[in-house]
Amino acid sequence: MSVFLDPALFQSLPRFFTPILLAALGGSLCQRAGVFNIALEGLMLIGAFAAMAGSYAFQSWETGLLFGAAAGLGGALLFAWFSVWRGGDDIVVSIGLNILALGGSAYLLRAVFGARGSFDSPRIIALPQFGLPGLRDIPVIGGAFAAQSLLVWLALFLVPLLAALLARHSFGLRLRAAGENPVALAAAGVNARVIRTEALVICGLLCGLAGAQLSISNVTLFTEGMSSGRGWIAVVIVLMCNARMWLVLLTAVVFGFIDALGFRIQGLGMPQQFTDALPYLLALGVLALAYRNHRNPAKDQG
Amino acid sequence: MPDPHPQRPFNKAALGRLVDVSRAFGPLKAVDAVSVDFFAGEILAIVGENGAGKSTLMNILFGMLAPDSGHVEVAGHKVSFRSSRDAIKAGLGMVHQHFMLFPGLSVLENILVGAEKATRSGLVDYRARRAEVQELMQQFDFSLSLDQPVGKLPVHARQQVEIMKMLFRAARLIILDEPTAVLTPHEKDRLFQMLGRLRDDGRAVVIITHKLDEVMEVSDRVMIMRAGRKIEETPTRATSRDQISRAMIGREIASPPKTDSRKAGIALEVRGVSVARPEGPLALENLSLSLREGEVFGIAGVAGNGQKPLVEALVGLVPLSAGQITLGGVEITSLDVGARRRMGLAYLAEDRMRVGLADAARIYENTIAGREGSRAFSRRGWLRMRAARQSGAEVIRDYDVAASGPMQRVSDLSGGNKQKIIVGRELAAEPSLVIAENPSWGVDVGAMAFIHQRLLAAATRGAAVLLVSSDLEELFALSDRVGVLYDGRMNGIFPRAELDAYRIGAAMAGKIGGAA
Amino acid sequence: MTLFRHRLFWPLALTGAVLVSLVLFPSLWQMVLAFLDGAAGGRGHFNFFSTLSRTSLIGGMALSVFLSFRAGLINIGGEGQLVIGGLVAALVGIYLPGPGVLVGVVSLLAAMLAGGLWALLAGFFERVLSVPLLVGSLLLNYPASFIASYLVSHPLRDVNSGIAQSHRIAHGAYLPRFSGTILDYGVLLMAAFGIAIIVVDRSRVFGYRARMQGISPEFARASGFPVTRMYFQILFGSGAIAGAVGFVAVFGIAHRYVDGMLVIPLYAWTGVVAVLLARVNPLWVLPAAFLFAALQTGAAGLEHSAGIPREMAQVVQGVIILFLAAGGQRFLQNTTGEGA
């Protein structure tokens, strides 16, 4: 086993968990606000496409980041309009958005870049990377703290920030209230729709950034469907963590670790399909564990 | 109890008033040109049947509905609230019949939502807010532990949270919609003391109710509504219970006479039944019960003391962790719902929209449910459409349902008519055991009398009826015996001759009950 | 007047705008012709039959989705069930010796069984391990794809072909085609499924119970319907139809299993979209599937002659769902997932 646990593995860990973490943080806010957002996959995908396009068009990672976030935001606003304001079912809207993202990014890839399947170019500038001076010198795991993208640090910073937002901020209180009982929130003079839209906006931004991590940091290219199920893993994390942000981080790291490990094992000759399937099997197992208390739900008296 | 009718000079300037307010829903005039003043230091009772327009009137006052004509005044100024937010800002507060709480949030958080007094950066100073809330609690003699999740509190404590919310927002005009519906008699007394303190503090208190004893007990002034109109407004001490009742109903409704139709045979035998919760103590513990044929057995208790698990255990919706149930001498403990129904079980569910009915389906699709596989409605798995439609038409005819025909969707019907569909379906099969859960909730007085009469008729025919109700009047009117559930156990069984609200109330609150 | 405003204004305005722009911009007219040609034209209406062939796949997936949605079961794992069905069909088709008809029939049954079992697996996760069906069925799509992908890339690969695909199935077992067209008899199978579903939905006690359960699962339970048995029957049936679609794709069209052939065209998701467009009404499921099939083949035609990428069809589908969702009607009861 120690064959795999080398510095390079830990060096690669953050780039695997960061996209999942960002999307799961956003999804957790939505869940707390009472929006069942399973369009994380699609939002991430349009973020990835837009970040690549922004970075390519201006040959700058800043615009890439901006485009990615803006595209995620736009997708989330679309979600909010059709679901929160027009009363559409969250699941149906999510399905629509996911298909739209898949088709739209493939369409634009061909219409704008004339490429089919994937597009890469030296004009796509990657995000800058930093390391943490003290921690990166720790043996073996120190790699996780060396030369990671801007977004890795942002994602880690967001964990305590969002936890504090929920616990200490009036917006956090209202957000939790919106998920518990929107009618009661209205009676308290707060519009749950506004709160939910705000939660979606944050979620959209984070998913857009998650996409940027994929297309202008992990690699500098865009592939059709490159979110490849990470959004669904994020949904699983959302379902099992119930907006406990530190737990979200921990679970995202575990999934990232499985991804990273799978990548290494692949290098050793294991068929790619097996390692690719691992996170989903893990997700099923983890959910079964998380839901074990929900079994036999004899309704609790209200 | 403080003197309910103290001599005190009313502050004649009204805190708030409704002036000539009307509101229609389609052709229905829910509120028709009603004016009323709300005075500081006074408890006003607004009474009327279901559908008399009380709630609509209060929703207009509280900014949740806009009036078609007329207006609202607060402190002498005309206002037009666009939402309850405006009303709250103007010093109004309302405790809705269905509490407006967040079960997963703590008591303190529930009180603060929407009134956080956050700093400019949006942070909430929970410590300072906690101190303020505690001071208010002391002033009005509340006892709540602020960190508990509201979902875990008993109902009367949740009501205190609701009142606390209004006090924290410094509400001057306080509206309570059917505040006693969920309380035991003793809790009711405590609530009324609290309302007295609010009045003495110089606030205007409005209670909406249809229980006349309470009107006489607590209010200073009473306003009676019928069919959207204000019928009468008078100081409480200048009127009587009977006068109010006549003005409220406007017609005579004969309550069905109750006769003892109990027969010798045992219909239902429940022995040592326990039901588990996912975690924590048993939801129902070692409960035994025996119903004779033709007997109406009432179940009283504060909501959440085991009524739901008892009903679901009898119907077959939850597994037992111990005990035995026999129906007509046959053990049914391990049978599923369908098998129990085929043996003569009928179930009038409290949650009509989801459990009792398929709301979006047609009437006939609802009236055949439970017997869809019987020979009456199917042959070799094929539905007999004509017979099915016929059954819908029969329920409409026999139960006087206001509907266009069996093809109409249930969702188009009023609450009373929906309940008639359920009663019609369940009683059509001539059941031997009827389990009725709050069968007259939210239906008008006429439909209620009709449903009561049908239940008694079923008992006369020989069916055993288990009547679970949170309305003591209903239980007293129909039951041969009343059992009180407390904390998942049977805390006393009272025969008809010994039915007394305060003794039953004591049993509902967990004090030792009677036995028979 | 209000009828005009609410019901007719937008459709009329839209039609008018389309007509006017067709007159003003002749190139647009060319594009419409190209689209129609792609969906229904070609020599001997070749494209029309290709649309029908696609309809049989999309329509089959739509029927599979319909079956579970009607009963309130949010099974969105059709893709995995389809892939497993197609894979098993190909395996039987390649390795089972015997007369072609027998191989075909056995393959169909095996594919249906495999698809049904894969769906039951998601049911097992929900009923025994409390993982919501929505998530469980979806997550199972990925292992299904990876298993199939692995098998046709490594042990079962037709190495000579140079791409990741299996060997061909026995020639005698091919689904027959309507003479002179590329349309195979699979479309008849799907039509039969469609008719059977309409009949069961309307006239059988089972269909009645499933419909009521879709409206309110609590009502179904309290009415004494055999809900547990129905749950597994419906899931199995839903998966079995998806498996049959996999069979048709292999035996009627590709004659082998090609990696990604059932996933990349989004057949399963298009089926979901078709059911939503049909407002979960069995009569409209197949027509809606035809519409989307035509949209896809038409878009392919448009790509051919006007250079507009065919992914436009997916964009249109996504937009349609969004507007359908906002139409106010709730299609799906019983949506699991905690935050909802």
Side-chain angles (χ1 to χ4, degrees), chain C residues 7 14 33-34 55 61 69 88 93 100 114 122 127 162 178 197 250 296:
Chain C
R7 289 285 166 79
L14 212 65
L33 285 180
T55 303
M61 288 316 295
F69 277 23
V88 167
R127 281 302 164 103
F178 291 97
I197 280 178
V250 170
Q296 291 182 0

Side-chain angles (χ1 to χ4, degrees), chain C residues 76-210:
Chain C
I76 52 173
E79 193 165 282
Q81 295 142 28
L82 167 71
V83 164
I84 291 292
L87 179 69
V88 167
L91 287 181
V92 176
I94 296 164
Y95 294 105
L96 184 74
V101 180
L102 183 77
V103 172
V105 170
V106 173
S107 297
L108 172 62
L109 293 179
M112 291 179 73
L113 182 69
L117 289 177
W118 196 258
L120 283 187
L121 192 59
F124 164 83
F125 270 100
E126 175 166 82
R127 281 302 164 103
V128 181
L129 301 174
S130 303
V131 177
L133 184 63
L134 171 77
V135 185
S137 64
L138 185 114
L139 287 177
L140 281 171
N141 285 346
Y142 291 92
S145 296
F146 292 133
I147 292 172
S149 173
Y150 169 74
L151 288 180
V152 299
S153 314
H154 297 290
L156 308 178
R157 179 171 183 167
D158 181 359
V159 188
N160 298 327
S161 71
I163 50 173
Q165 59 182 14
S166 73
H167 294 277
R168 273 183 196 278
I169 58 168
H171 195 275
Y174 286 12
L175 267 179
R177 290 181 170 171
F178 291 97
S179 62
T181 74
I182 58 146
L183 181 64
D184 59 78
Y185 283 12
V187 74
L188 296 180
L189 182 67
M190 294 307 152
F193 280 142
I195 291 167
I197 280 178
I198 291 171
V199 170
V200 168
D201 183 75
R202 302 203 137 188
S203 308
R204 299 283 298 174
V205 172
F206 184 85
Y208 160 80
R209 285 174 175 160

Side-chain angles (χ1 to χ4, degrees), chain B residues 317 337-338 341 354-358 360-361 365-366 368-370 372-373 378 380-383 425, chain C residues 199-200 202-206 208-209 211-212 215-226 333:
Chain B
L317 293 168
V337 184
R341 280 184 169 277
R354 296 195 312 155
V355 184
L357 295 168
E365 289 173 325
N366 276 282
I368 65 171
E372 75 287 342
S378 67
R380 295 210 181 96
W382 296 95
L383 274 182
R425 172 187 70 215
Chain C
V199 170
V200 168
R202 302 203 137 188
S203 308
R204 299 283 298 174
V205 172
F206 184 85
Y208 160 80
R209 285 174 175 160
R211 206 151 23 95
M212 295 301 113
I215 292 172
S216 167
E218 295 89 353
F219 173 78
R221 244 160 73 74
S223 297
F225 299 169
Q333 281 88 16

Side-chain angles (χ1 to χ4, degrees), chain C residues 11 17 31 80 196 242 261:
Chain C
M31 283 164 67
M261 71 183 236

Side-chain angles (χ1 to χ4, degrees), chain B residues 54 116 278 284 294 327 395 413 506:
Chain B
K54 300 168 294 188
E116 300 91 352
L284 200 63
L327 181 60
V395 170
L413 305 180

Side-chain angles (χ1 to χ4, degrees), chain B residues 205-424:
Chain B
V205 178
V206 183
I207 67 168
I208 301 170
T209 183
H210 62 263
K211 294 186 180 168
L212 302 185
D213 293 331
E214 296 171 2
V215 174
M216 300 309 295
E217 188 182 335
V218 74
S219 71
D220 303 307
R221 196 155 53 99
V222 55
M223 174 176 121
I224 299 147
M225 289 189 72
R226 189 171 78 221
R229 291 248 176 80
K230 177 161 109 179
I231 298 297
E232 206 180 319
E233 185 183 340
T234 165
T236 308
R237 81 201 102 125
T239 184
S240 71
R241 191 183 188 288
D242 288 345
Q243 244 176 329
I244 299 175
S245 168
R246 265 196 302 279
M248 186 170 115
I249 297 175
R251 62 188 192 277
E252 284 300 312
I253 300 244
S255 52
K258 165 71 187 165
T259 54
D260 192 343
S261 58
R262 285 181 284 181
K263 300 188 173 65
I266 299 291
L268 173 73
E269 181 86 52
V270 176
R271 247 175 282 136
V273 163
S274 297
V275 173
R277 258 191 272 259
E279 49 193 77
L282 292 172
L284 200 63
E285 192 177 338
N286 194 20
L287 188 117
S288 297
L289 189 65
S290 163
L291 265 70
R292 281 155 62 187
E293 289 168 10
E295 175 171 22
V296 179
F297 189 97
I299 296 281
V302 177
N305 275 283
Q307 292 93 327
K308 184 114 270 176
L310 171 62
V311 166
E312 293 189 336
L314 291 177
V315 176
L317 293 168
V318 292
L320 306 186
S321 54
Q324 239 184 12
I325 305 172
T326 49
L327 181 60
V330 182
E331 180 168 351
I332 59 166
T333 317
S334 58
L335 298 184
D336 64 16
V337 184
R340 292 182 196 202
R341 280 184 169 277
R342 286 190 288 278
M343 288 185 54
L345 175 131
Y347 174 37
L348 312 185
E350 171 182 299
D351 185 346
R352 283 164 220 157
M353 306 287 272
R354 296 195 312 155
V355 184
L357 295 168
D359 202 49
R362 300 177 194 283
I363 289 176
Y364 84 88
E365 289 173 325
N366 276 282
T367 55
I368 65 171
R371 288 185 296 150
E372 75 287 342
S374 76
R375 201 166 308 158
F377 297 121
S378 67
R379 189 168 294 154
R380 295 210 181 96
W382 296 95
L383 274 182
R384 297 173 59 184
M385 291 302 281
R386 198 178 299 166
R389 270 184 228 136
Q390 184 65 29
S391 92
E394 276 165 19
V395 170
I396 291 173
R397 190 189 65 215
D398 296 348
Y399 285 78
D400 198 21
V401 179
S404 62
M407 299 300 281
Q408 196 176 4
R409 306 230 173 237
V410 169
S411 49
D412 296 341
L413 305 180
S414 73
N417 283 311
K418 284 181 181 176
Q419 181 68 338
K420 283 178 178 177
I421 299 271
I422 299 180
V423 176

Side-chain angles (χ1 to χ4, degrees), chain B residues 447-488:
Chain B
M448 174 151 94
F450 187 80
I451 290 163
H452 285 173
Q453 178 224 322
R454 290 299 173 129
L455 284 175
L456 288 178
T460 310
R461 213 196 62 241
V465 178
L466 188 86
L467 173 67
V468 179
S469 176
S470 55
D471 181 353
L472 287 183
E473 272 181 53
E474 177 173 51
L475 287 172
F476 289 7
L478 301 183
S479 310
D480 294 298
R481 286 187 295 159
V482 172
V484 180
L485 278 180
Y486 175 74
D487 200 17

